[in-house]
Structure formats: C-alpha cells, structure tokens
Amino acid sequence: MKPDGKMNIADENLIRLNGIAKHYEMGSTLVRALDGISVEIQRGDWVSFIGSSGSGKSTFLNILGCLDRPTRGEYFLNGVYVEELGPNQLAEIRNREIGFIFQSFNLLPRATALGNVMQPLVYRRIGYRRRREMAREALDRVGLGDRVDHLPNQLSGGQRQRVAIARGLVTQPSILLADEPTGNLDSRTSADIMQLFDQLHSEGQTLILVTHEEDVAGLGDRVIELLDGKIIRDRRAGEPLH
Amino acid sequence: MFYVILESTRSALISILAHGLRSFLTTLGIVIGVASVIAVISLTQGMSAFIGESFSSLGSNSLTIQSHTPISEAMRGGRARLTPEDLELIERRAEGVASITPILYASRSSQVRYAAQTTFSQIMGTTYAYRDVAQAWVQTGRFIAESDNLTRRRVTVIGKKVREDLGLPENPVNEYVELGGEWFKIIGLLEAKGDVMGFDQDDIVLVPYSTMRSLAGNQSQIDIQIQLSLSEGVEVDDVTRQLTALLRNAHDLAPDEDDDFRINTAEQLMETFDTIINMVTLVIGGIVSISLLVGGIGIMNIMLVSVTERTREIGICKAIGAKRHHILAQFLIEAMLLSLLGGLIGLGLGYGLGTAISSSIDSFPPASIPIWAIALALGFSGFVGVLFGILPAAKAANLDPIDALRYE
Ligand SMILES: Nc1ncnc2c1ncn2[C@@H]1O[C@H](COP(=O)(O)OP(=O)(O)OP(=O)(O)O)[C@@H](O)[C@H]1O
Ligand SMILES: [Mg+2]
C-alpha cells in the first residue's frame, strides 16, 4: 500500500499495455523495435523481461517509464491513459510513479551520492532538510549510508548502481524499472544487487527488470521473453523452459 | 515559484563554481563593460559633485558683469567698457542687490615681489563688499575696509598661494610686498579655497579699488568688472533682466544692437559644466553598453556549449521528473548569475579604476559612484544575462528526455 493513498481501484492492473508498437524509420527501412506488445502487470509483481540484444527490451522499458512514446498502442498506468498526457504531466508521472534504474547508472556527475538521491525530490517541492533526511534513509536502505558525500566517479560500479537504486526508491514510486541492473557488474556484486531487489520485492515493491541473463530473470515471479519486438513466451518463474 | 528559484540558484552556483576559470572568462566581457561604465561615471560624477561644491564656494547667488565687445563693434575698432558710472548707476537703481563691488584687474605687469622672491599673480582692485559677494574670508588679519578705499591706502590682502610663493611668514600681516613698483602693506591673509576648473582661487592679491585706480594713473578709460550678490529670495533672472535694461539704456544701445556686456551667473556656469559632463557620461555610457552586449553574446555562446555538454544531465533530470520550467529556470538563472557576477566584479574594478585615475592625476576630484549607477550596472548586466540566457535555456528545456539520454 502506498502511503500517499494513490491506489486506483478502477483498474486492478498497475500496468496495462495494448498493442504497443515502436517503429523507427531509418531511411527506406523500417525498424520494428516493438511490434504489438500486450501485457498486464499486477501491483507487487516482480516481472523480468528477457531477450537477446536488439530484441527491444530497452525500448519497451523506456515506454513503460514514460520516457518515450509508442508509435501505436495504448498504455494505462494506474488507470491513467498515458498517451493523452503532455510533457509536464509525463514528468510528473515519472517523478511520482516511476523509479528508473538505467543500464548505465545515469548519475549526475557533479552531485554527490546524497545529491543524486535528493534530486528527484527537488521536483516535488520538498524542503532541503526533509530531502536530506529522505535521501539518507534511501541510501541506508541500499547499504550505502557511509558513502553519502562521494561523487559518482569516486564510487565503484556496484556502489553507483546502489545510488541509482536509492534514487529510484526515494520517491516511493509505484513501480521500480531497472534496465540491465547487473549488466555492468561482476557476478559477486550482481548477487548483492539482486538480493537487494529481492528484499524490496518482499517489502511489496512492484519491480520490472530487463535482462539478458537467464538466472537473473529467474529470480522474479514472472519471466516474459521478447524476440524482434514481440512477446514469444510469458511464464511463471519455476515453470520449465521447454 | 520561490522554491524553484531557490533550487535553481543553488545548482547554478554549483555549476558556475565547478567551471571557475571558464565562468570567469565567459563573464569577462560583462566585467570589462561594467568596469568601464563605472569608471567613467565615477569620474564624471566626482567631477560634477566637485564643481557643484566649488561654485557654491564662489557664491552661488552672485552675478558678474563684464564688458563684451560684439564682433560688429570690434570690426569698427570700437571697444566696449564697463565704467565706474555704470557701477554707480546699478548701485543707485538696481533692486534685489545685497552687495556690489567693482573689480579692477591690473592691466600691465602683475609682478609681486617680497625680498628677493618674485611671482606673478592676479592683482585685483576691489572694495570691502567683495568679501560678501565672493565669499572670501580672511584667515588672519582683516579684509579691505571702506576707509582703505576712501583714503586710497596702500594695503593688500593676499591668498595662500601668493604667501607660499613669496616665502612670506606663516602670518604675513604687516609685511610689505611690491606691486607694480609700489610698496603695499599686507593686512590680511585669505582662507584657502582650492581651485575651480584650473583657476587657483588662492593665487590672488586684493588691493583697495581706489588705490588701484590711482595707480592706473590718468588712464581715464578704465574697464571694470562688477560683481554683485543677490538678496535672499530674489530671482536671478529678474535681476539679470533689470540690469540688462539699465546698462543698455546707459550705453545708448539701439534695440537692434547686441549687448556690449555679459552677465554671468555662477549657476549658469555650473549648468553648462553639468550639461557637458552629462553628455560625456551619456556618450561613453552608450559606447560601453555595446561592450555589454558583446559580453552578453559571449555568455549566450558559452551557455549553448554548456547545454550541449550537459545534454545527458538534462536528460537524467527530465527522466527523474524535471519539468520544462525547472530546466528553463536553472539555465536562465545560471546565465543571469554569471552576468550579475561579472557586473559585481566590474563594479568593484571600475570603482577601483576610477579612484586610481582620480588620485593619480593631481587636483582631480575624488571618484564617486551614485546609487543609480550601481543599480543600472547590476540591472543591466542581469538583464543581459536573462536576454542572452533565454535561447540556451529554451533549447535545454525543450529537449526530449529520451533523445537527451541517448546523447553521447
Ligand atoms: N533511436 C533509435 N533509432 C533507430 N533504431 C533504434 C533506436 N533505438 C533502438 N533502435 C532499434 O530498435 C531495436 C531494439 O533496440 P533496444 O535498444 O530496445 O534493444 P535491447 O533489447 O535493449 O538490446 P540490448 O540488450 O543490446 O540493450 C534495435 O534493433 C535498435 O537498432
Ligand atoms: Mg538495452
């Protein structure tokens, strides 16, 4: 349950996608990065999207995160029809509903770990002190409470990923989206990060992960496989692959 | 709104400080522009304040009447004069005059000698009324008295500069100096007045008017100056009109003839100087504001570069919820702060420059900056920042989040 009571009863699905397509025109050829994706995701689920490189995972996640707009199709987030929203309303949704963890961390290079985690709260008109408190809490949660004053380039990859996760968590979003959260990390650090996700999931956080690693995907409740912009398999975790 | 400004200012300051040298170079155009404006204004304003003071020390409500030969008259070999009769006429007939005094300038050599020292000075024959008209007070001794004039005494009151030049004692009263071959006893030393527009007011020698006339010998055609001060509450223009009518009548001038005299007021002179100074300020200010504009373009240029450099950062901010106005405010405020910072540095530099110039030139009045110039400089540089910040800021705000994030 979200503390700000933003639950929408009208739609039991947190996310509902209907025939989502994203096409890129490259000269005379048409690249179908996404080609008719329909999927529903419930609150509290941990869903992993898996697929080979170029199958459209990042494109899909960007649309889910309201960063990109689909060429075609319908997207309902929390019962809101996203396609109708203007840029500022989308920014509002990104701020309130979504925590985005990027493939390449995407931290602000000149802000400290704490500054990075505080940044999304700036757009919520939260005062400096409160922001600091909230950011510290989030950093504590990801186990980085002792590195708050370090700049991103003074942190290891795993630590940067934790900062990015803390930044995603600090706004208490409806969904946490992560694009290849372990893509840039060694297996040991990956395990730590995945354990963190597991913990968040057990606390009720809705999680959507994109990965190309089978064992990472297998940690979720549900694994959806993409190929050439289409869903080719949708199964509960633990079900046999073949 | 306030919250957005506060947060934007915070991050703008961080970014300006992060690129210290670049920020400084960017703002250099503004620094130089504002510094030169302020230097010029501080000098001219110091000058005009000083001129104002000097003129009030001259006696601000005093008038000077001088003969003036119109060109047409000069061509015919004529020469206009102001005579003792004119003085008498004015004394008798003019209204609103508090005190009036003739001044007879030495026509020939104005050599002054004391012991082996000689100097050249302005020797003036005048009366006790000069003291009130010209606000000339004695520091030691006494001023020329009415009786000095009646008995044509050979006495003199000297200025500070003359005393120094002649090596006279600190208290020169009762010493004798030689003026035009005659010995005069010093009866008073004037208070120092400094100089006005290069005329040293302390370089004067006053003798009784009648003594001066008698020394001029049988030269009957003398030309005097008349200086008078006005009574309280009398309009300078009224008196000027009245005097003009009196003198024109006395000099038998036909209506189509020009005046053969000039009436000068201290105020008039002051206004003339003020006008000149304001013109200079305006012209130089105009030229220099062009350099501010150039400075603004420099800021725009660097801000555009900075937007490009920070495209990814902008994308990140948008991805985590920044709206258009957040990004707009951040870059706009950064441009404005840069420009304002330049304005502030320029203000200090300009004032320092003005002070340095004014103190390095002897007898130049001290520099002073009026509040309006400070407000103008800061207001203008802030405005330049906003004006030239709009384009880069709008460019940043309009970036599409996904494109910005993909930017390499
Ligand atoms: N901006 C774009 N312009 C043109 N084509 C694009 C663009 N973005 C993505 N694509 C194409 O869309 C397809 C899907 O790309 P996407 O980045 O979603 O793949 P991905 O599954 O995330 O791959 P990876 O595992 O390598 O990250 C690719 O074929 C890519 O070339
Ligand atoms: Mg990808």
Side-chain angles (χ1 to χ4, degrees):
Chain A
M1 270 336 93
K2 308 255 300 116
D4 52 2
K6 284 192 65 205
M7 217 176 89
N8 196 324
I9 313 294
D11 197 334
E12 80 219 54
N13 294 316
L14 185 58
I15 287 172
R16 190 149 63 85
L17 297 176
N18 219 340
I20 292 286
K22 180 77 185 180
H23 297 171
Y24 293 105
E25 252 174 274
M26 302 296 286
S28 56
T29 60
L30 185 71
V31 180
R32 296 168 198 270
L34 295 176
D35 199 11
I37 293 205
S38 300
V39 71
E40 283 163 6
I41 294 169
Q42 272 87 45
R43 205 173 292 280
D45 261 3
W46 176 351
V47 182
S48 300
F49 285 82
I50 192 168
S52 55
S53 188
S55 55
K57 306 183 297 291
S58 293
T59 310
F60 179 65
L61 209 63
N62 288 338
I63 288 172
L64 278 187
C66 298
L67 284 170
D68 209 353
R69 289 172 188 272
T71 315
R72 213 173 45 231
E74 295 173 315
Y75 173 17
F76 293 92
L77 174 66
N78 242 341
V80 176
Y81 184 46
V82 172
E83 268 20 85
E84 281 174 347
L85 303 178
N88 278 346
Q89 286 166 306
L90 285 179
E92 182 92 29
I93 294 236
R94 286 196 293 269
N95 188 248
R96 297 204 171 265
E97 307 284 352
I98 292 159
F100 210 114
I101 296 153
F102 296 92
Q103 196 163 359
S104 48
F105 315 132
N106 273 343
L107 297 176
L108 296 172
R110 280 177 317 204
T112 60
L114 192 68
N116 265 288
V117 179
M118 281 162 72
Q119 194 64 28
L121 302 173
V122 168
Y123 309 122
R124 281 208 187 172
R125 308 178 144 267
I126 293 172
Y128 182 80
R129 291 211 173 158
R130 180 85 191 101
R131 270 196 336 250
R132 243 180 113 80
E133 261 170 49
M134 291 169 75
R136 269 182 188 283
E137 270 170 39
L139 281 167
D140 277 338
R141 258 178 104 184
V142 299
L144 262 188
D146 53 340
R147 294 300 180 91
V148 292
D149 290 327
H150 289 225
L151 291 172
N153 62 15
Q154 297 165 336
L155 295 170
S156 73
Q159 288 166 335
R160 287 184 217 182
Q161 192 63 294
R162 284 170 195 270
V163 175
I165 294 170
R167 183 178 65 187
L169 285 175
V170 76
T171 54
Q172 298 180 310
S174 309
I175 332 160
L176 204 57
L177 302 176
D179 192 355
E180 307 265 14
T182 58
N184 289 331
L185 305 177
D186 62 73
S187 56
R188 181 70 198 281
T189 319
S190 299
D192 287 350
I193 295 289
M194 292 320 293
Q195 201 184 337
L196 181 59
F197 279 122
D198 194 39
Q199 185 198 329
L200 292 174
H201 174 57
S202 66
E203 287 166 11
Q205 179 70 54
T206 312
L207 281 175
I208 298 177
L209 250 62
V210 154
T211 181
H212 58 263
E213 291 172 68
E214 196 58 53
D215 41 342
V216 168
L219 291 169
D221 303 326
R222 183 177 169 196
V223 182
I224 298 175
E225 199 173 336
L226 292 181
L227 183 65
D228 294 337
K230 292 191 183 78
I231 295 180
I232 55 165
R233 191 172 296 138
D234 185 347
R235 62 189 163 89
R236 289 270 131 197
E239 283 175 26
L241 273 176
H242 301 287
Chain B
M1 195 61 204
F2 176 73
Y3 180 86
V4 172
I5 290 173
L6 186 78
E7 292 304 329
S8 307
T9 308
R10 197 200 301 275
S11 65
L13 276 177
I14 290 170
S15 133
I16 287 172
L17 292 179
H19 298 285
L21 181 63
R22 181 164 100 180
S23 302
F24 176 70
L25 291 177
T26 305
T27 191
L28 208 57
I30 302 281
V31 171
I32 292 170
V34 170
S36 27
V37 173
I38 292 298
V40 168
I41 289 180
S42 72
L43 286 177
T44 53
Q45 288 300 310
M47 195 122 131
S48 96
F50 175 77
I51 288 171
E53 266 168 44
S54 322
F55 277 107
S56 64
S57 81
L58 272 180
S60 59
N61 62 343
S62 78
L63 288 180
T64 308
I65 313 171
Q66 279 173 292
S67 61
H68 170 75
T69 312
I71 294 170
S72 54
E73 188 62 30
M75 304 265 271
R76 268 179 264 139
R79 199 174 169 291
R81 268 198 311 280
L82 224 51
T83 63
E85 288 74 41
D86 291 328
L87 174 70
E88 262 173 56
L89 178 76
I90 294 168
E91 277 177 324
R92 260 199 341 266
R93 303 272 304 276
E95 283 162 23
V97 175
S99 36
I100 181 165
T101 183
I103 299 172
L104 182 56
Y105 286 97
S107 51
R108 277 165 303 176
S109 147
S110 299
Q111 201 183 50
V112 186
R113 195 160 72 83
Y114 171 71
Q117 297 277 359
T118 55
T119 183
F120 287 86
S121 182
Q122 182 66 67
I123 303 177
M124 297 155 68
T126 189
T127 67
Y128 70 98
Y130 180 84
R131 192 188 59 182
D132 297 325
V133 173
Q135 307 279 305
W137 311 103
V138 288
Q139 184 185 314
T140 39
R142 65 174 176 85
F143 201 75
I144 296 165
E146 198 164 4
S147 64
D148 294 329
N149 258 305
L150 292 174
T151 57
R152 296 180 188 171
R153 254 182 223 135
R154 307 226 160 151
V155 291
T156 178
V157 174
I158 61 169
K160 190 170 133 277
K161 174 98 178 359
V162 179
R163 185 192 70 75
E164 283 166 4
D165 286 353
L166 290 177
L168 278 157
E170 200 65 44
N171 179 0
V173 174
N174 292 334
E175 298 291 330
Y176 282 84
V177 289
E178 192 187 326
L179 307 173
E182 304 282 339
W183 289 96
F184 283 73
K185 183 179 166 189
I186 299 173
I187 54 168
L189 175 68
L190 291 171
E191 273 178 9
K193 287 185 100 171
D195 57 2
V196 176
M197 306 314 297
F199 298 112
D200 193 339
Q201 293 198 85
D202 299 324
D203 192 10
I204 56 170
V205 175
L206 303 177
V207 299
Y209 169 65
S210 53
T211 313
M212 189 79 169
R213 275 189 73 179
S214 71
L215 283 180
N218 44 14
Q219 196 191 11
S220 55
Q221 302 206 325
I222 57 166
D223 180 19
I224 62 169
Q225 263 188 30
I226 299 168
Q227 207 171 358
L228 50 86
S229 65
L230 306 182
S231 312
E232 203 73 36
V234 174
E235 285 294 322
V236 178
D237 290 346
D238 291 344
V239 177
T240 309
R241 248 194 310 280
Q242 200 192 128
L243 291 174
T244 307
L246 271 175
L247 288 173
R248 283 187 70 90
N249 191 28
H251 293 185
D252 289 326
L253 296 177
D256 62 329
E257 281 181 288
D258 291 331
D259 292 344
D260 60 355
F261 54 88
R262 278 275 164 84
I263 302 177
N264 296 318
T265 66
E267 235 168 295
Q268 242 174 22
L269 267 164
M270 203 163 95
E271 274 166 25
T272 313
F273 278 115
D274 258 7
T275 318
I276 294 171
I277 280 172
N278 286 342
M279 283 272 284
V280 170
T281 308
L282 221 68
V283 168
I284 297 183
I287 293 170
V288 168
S289 36
I290 294 173
S291 85
L292 279 186
L293 234 63
V294 174
I297 293 169
I299 286 185
M300 174 159 72
N301 193 15
I302 286 298
M303 289 305 295
L304 281 172
V305 170
S306 159
V307 167
T308 309
E309 264 178 7
R310 276 143 71 185
T311 300
R312 255 183 99 83
E313 268 178 63
I314 295 164
I316 295 169
C317 288
K318 290 201 153 193
I320 59 178
K323 294 181 182 166
R324 278 196 78 232
H325 67 265
H326 291 122
I327 307 288
L328 194 77
Q330 187 189 330
F331 281 88
L332 214 52
I333 285 175
E334 190 171 326
M336 198 178 81
L337 278 182
L338 259 181
S339 187
L340 266 181
L341 219 66
L344 269 175
I345 297 174
L347 203 67
L349 215 65
Y351 184 64
L353 209 69
T355 312
I357 291 174
S358 72
S359 61
S360 70
I361 300 174
D362 242 14
S363 85
F364 205 88
S368 86
I369 320 182
I371 300 291
W372 63 260
I374 295 176
L376 195 79
L378 292 185
F380 201 72
S381 50
F383 171 73
V384 163
V386 170
L387 187 73
F388 290 98
I390 283 175
L391 186 71
K395 191 184 161 201
N398 288 335
L399 282 174
D400 188 58
I402 196 74
D403 291 342
L405 276 174
R406 280 208 190 104
Y407 185 84
E408 296 291 327

